[in-house]
């Protein structure tokens, strides 16, 4: 029993720490921009449920830490409905109530009576804070650790694989894939993983001679210590750089910042490409993770990082570095998801504001209600799909046709 509890804590605690930290920064983005525009805020909560500790600042905002650490929220004064976009009737009622309670002019401090551009910036500040957080975390890691690049040198070629059929040989140095220059093995892996069933044109350096090869990635099931059982595209190459292929250099703050922006851009691009391939029927969505998958990744990273060294200090440092990398990746993901044009998300609010800017009036209440319900259904469906993937990766429900 003790061992089970220990394993559960190993997976749950890092997940909750990472998630709560990231969501708090997201909500802080909304809050700071709202405060800059003079919006009245009732509450900023870290966690949900009953208050553990709290205080009210001089602006009348209640700051609190709640007992359920599953993120947090910011509540603007005057929020009338779940979508936070009242229609004309709702705005008129709110205006009358505020004026009756606080006098004429008090409504100017409320979020819903701010200009559209201010409201849009306040909403967009949440996802922007996620991307900024990822940039800060990655920049710090690049500055502290420097950058290691390992050229994509072929070490092994699996017999009978697409790579073997294409003519790859051990010792080949991959220079480009489909015209895109590659500097390290991770670049090749990313392209291959997002190209199942699509022929890829490789240019390799073979003993100083340029050779062009074509290989088509095929999906295969792998047991990953962190991700679980996943179906990914491979061509059967084992990347094994020589000592001379590995380079290390320290990065100054500007270089580190540029590399972090490049990493965020490639992550966003890869995510959008993968989602596009799902809708095109070229991917099954196996790599989409829900809360269970993120928790498993957090626990697996913590366990592997701690076991990497016998020195407790080095183990703790290794755990910290890898959890920071995970936090940056999850933060990017949360930023992307929140920008989806679904009414219950920030992107849906921005969509409503776009309509309001063009039509010069808020979206009608009936349309908002329908949009809200559809948005909830879409979001619930996405969460169920991601959770189903997570359970399949844990080898559950195998009898129902899971990964085999």
């Amino acid at each position: 029993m003790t061992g089970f509890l220990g394993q559960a804590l190993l997976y749950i605690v890092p997940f909750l720490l990472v998630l709560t930290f990231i969501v708090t920064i997201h909500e802080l983005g909304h809050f700071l921009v709202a405060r800059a525009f003079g919006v009245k805020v009732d509450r900023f909560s870290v966690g949900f449920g009953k208050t553990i500790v709290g205080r009210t600042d001089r602006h009348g905002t209640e700051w609190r830490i709640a007992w359920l650490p599953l993120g947090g929220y910011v509540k603007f004064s005057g929020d009338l409905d779940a979508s936070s976009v009242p229609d004309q009737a709702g705005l008129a009622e709110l205006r009358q109530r505020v004026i009756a309670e606080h006098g004429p002019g008090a409504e100017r401090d409320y979020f819903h009576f701010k200009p559209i551009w201010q409201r849009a910036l306040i909403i967009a500040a949440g996802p922007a804070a996620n991307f900024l957080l990822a940039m800060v975390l990655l920049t710090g890691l690049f500055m502290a650790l420097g950058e290691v690049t390992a050229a994509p040198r072929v070490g092994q070629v699996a017999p009978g694989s697409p790579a073997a059929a294409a003519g790859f040989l051990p010792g080949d140095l991959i220079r480009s894939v489909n015209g895109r220059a590659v500097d390290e093995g991770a670049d090749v892996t990313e392209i291959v993983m997002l190209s199942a069933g699509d022929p890829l044109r490789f240019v390799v350096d073979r003993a100083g001679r340029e050779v062009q090869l074509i290989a088509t990635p095929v999906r295969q099931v792998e047991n990953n210590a962190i991700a679980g059982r996943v179906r990914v595209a491979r061509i059967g190459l084992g990347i094994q750089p020589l000592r001379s292929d590995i380079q290390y250099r320290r990065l100054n703050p500007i270089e580190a910042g540029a590399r972090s922006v490049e990493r965020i851009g490639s992550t966003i691009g890869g995510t959008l490409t993968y989602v596009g391939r799902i809708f095109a029927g070229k991917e099954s969505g196996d790599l989409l993770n829900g809360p269970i998958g993120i928790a498993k990744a957090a626990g697996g990273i913590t366990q592997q990082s701690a076991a990497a060294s016998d020195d407790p200090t080095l183990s703790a440092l290794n755990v910290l570095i890898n959890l920071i990398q995970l936090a940056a990746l999850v933060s990017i993901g949360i930023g992307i998801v929140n920008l989806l044009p679904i009414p219950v998300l920030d992107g849906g609010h921005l969509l409503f504001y776009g309509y309001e800017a063009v039509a010069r009036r808020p979206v009608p209440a009936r349309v908002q209600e329908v949009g809200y319900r559809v948005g909830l259904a879409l979001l619930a469906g996405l969460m169920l799909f991601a959770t189903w993937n997570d359970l399949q990766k844990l080898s559950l429900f195998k009898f129902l046709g899971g990964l085999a």
Side-chain angles (χ1 to χ4, degrees), residues 7 9-12 14-15 225-226 293-305 323 326:
Q7 285 293 316
L9 291 175
L10 180 66
Y11 284 85
I12 294 174
F15 166 69
I226 294 177
I294 298 174
K296 186 178 187 305
I301 288 173
T302 301
Q303 193 171 33
Q304 287 191 357
S305 301
L323 284 181
L326 177 65

Side-chain angles (χ1 to χ4, degrees), residues 46 48-54 64-69:
V46 178
F48 297 90
K50 292 185 178 180
T51 301
I52 297 176
V53 60
R64 69 170 199 151
I65 298 176
W67 71 275
L68 188 59

Side-chain angles (χ1 to χ4, degrees), residues 115-134:
I116 294 176
W117 67 272
Q118 291 187 7
R119 282 179 277 150
L121 286 178
I122 292 170
I123 293 301
N130 285 127
F131 297 130
L132 181 60
L133 171 62

Side-chain angles (χ1 to χ4, degrees), residues 123-147:
I123 293 301
N130 285 127
F131 297 130
L132 181 60
L133 171 62
M135 180 181 174
V136 170
L137 294 177
L138 293 175
T139 298
L141 288 178
F142 278 124
M143 288 177 59
L145 304 177
E147 181 182 39

Side-chain angles (χ1 to χ4, degrees), residues 312-398:
T313 302
L314 290 179
S315 293
L317 183 60
N318 201 26
V319 169
L320 178 62
I321 290 172
N322 283 286
L323 284 181
I324 289 175
Q325 291 179 325
L326 177 65
L329 183 62
V330 174
S331 187
I332 295 170
I334 289 178
I336 294 173
V337 169
N338 269 279
L339 285 176
L340 294 176
I342 299 176
V344 293
L345 300 175
D346 294 334
H349 292 169
L350 294 175
L351 185 66
F352 284 165
Y353 296 149
Y355 171 89
E356 184 178 344
V358 174
R360 303 298 180 90
R361 64 179 184 275
V363 177
R366 182 175 295 276
V367 175
Q368 289 191 42
E369 182 180 357
V370 172
Y372 179 64
R373 290 179 178 176
V374 171
L376 273 180
L378 289 173
L379 195 59
L382 178 62
M383 291 300 298
L384 287 172
F385 178 70
T387 302
W388 176 261
N389 278 342
D390 293 341
L391 295 176
Q392 285 186 317
K393 293 168 192 175
L394 294 175
S395 299
L396 298 177
F397 306 140
K398 189 173 179 180

Side-chain angles (χ1 to χ4, degrees), residues 43-44 82 85 90 92 111 115 146 165 172 174 179 197 199 225 227 229 236 258 314 381 388 399:
R43 178 182 296 161
F44 188 101
V85 187
F111 173 80
D172 286 347
I174 302 174
R229 301 175 71 247
L314 290 179
W388 176 261
F399 61 95

Side-chain angles (χ1 to χ4, degrees), residues 15-305:
F15 166 69
L16 292 179
L17 289 175
V18 169
L19 180 65
T20 300
F21 173 63
I22 292 170
V23 174
T24 298
I25 296 299
H26 176 97
E27 297 300 327
L28 192 61
H30 291 311
F31 172 83
L32 291 176
V33 177
R35 178 62 61 85
F37 289 138
V39 173
K40 183 176 176 60
V41 181
D42 287 342
R43 178 182 296 161
F44 188 101
S45 178
V46 178
F48 297 90
K50 292 185 178 180
T51 301
I52 297 176
V53 60
R55 60 176 291 272
T56 301
D57 64 19
R58 61 187 179 88
H59 298 282
T61 301
E62 177 193 5
W63 295 80
R64 69 170 199 151
I65 298 176
W67 71 275
L68 188 59
L70 287 174
Y73 63 92
V74 58
K75 182 180 183 299
F76 299 133
S77 297
D79 281 351
L80 297 177
D81 53 26
S83 66
S84 297
V85 187
D87 64 350
Q88 286 182 309
L91 285 173
E93 188 277 333
L94 176 61
R95 186 188 299 272
Q96 292 176 359
R97 178 162 56 84
V98 171
I99 292 176
E101 292 178 0
H102 305 288
E107 74 277 5
R108 290 194 292 269
D109 294 334
Y110 283 66
F111 173 80
H112 300 296
F113 300 111
K114 293 294 182 179
I116 294 176
W117 67 272
Q118 291 187 7
R119 282 179 277 150
L121 286 178
I122 292 170
I123 293 301
N130 285 127
F131 297 130
L132 181 60
L133 171 62
M135 180 181 174
V136 170
L137 294 177
L138 293 175
T139 298
L141 288 178
F142 278 124
M143 288 177 59
L145 304 177
E147 181 182 39
V148 178
T149 57
R153 177 85 61 179
V154 177
Q156 301 91 26
V157 180
S161 66
F168 277 94
L169 296 176
D172 286 347
L173 180 62
I174 302 174
R175 293 297 190 185
S176 68
V177 184
N178 277 1
R180 171 184 164 185
V182 291
D183 298 320
E184 51 186 327
D187 297 333
V188 178
T189 300
E190 178 184 350
I191 295 173
V192 169
M193 288 178 62
L194 295 174
S195 303
D198 297 336
L200 296 176
R201 188 180 74 260
F202 294 82
V203 175
V204 304
D205 182 332
R206 180 174 293 170
R209 181 169 57 92
E210 185 179 284
V211 178
Q212 294 193 18
L213 306 170
I214 297 178
T216 301
V218 295
R219 292 190 186 91
Q220 62 185 50
V221 176
E222 297 179 355
N223 285 303
N224 186 282
I226 294 177
R229 301 175 71 247
V230 292
R231 185 185 290 111
V232 295
R234 302 292 190 198
I235 60 173
L237 285 181
I239 303 297
Q240 187 175 346
L242 303 176
R243 184 179 296 273
S244 59
D245 294 326
I246 302 175
Q247 296 182 350
Y248 168 81
R249 67 186 184 103
R250 300 195 63 84
L251 301 179
N252 60 41
I254 295 178
E255 292 173 326
R259 286 291 292 123
S260 69
V261 171
E262 181 182 334
R263 180 70 60 82
I264 293 170
S266 65
T267 301
I268 294 174
T271 300
L272 295 179
T273 298
Y274 185 72
V275 172
R277 287 176 61 83
I278 291 176
F279 283 104
K282 295 183 177 181
E283 295 287 349
S284 62
D286 292 337
L287 299 182
L288 290 179
N289 287 320
I292 296 175
I294 298 174
K296 186 178 187 305
I301 288 173
T302 301
Q303 193 171 33
Q304 287 191 357
S305 301

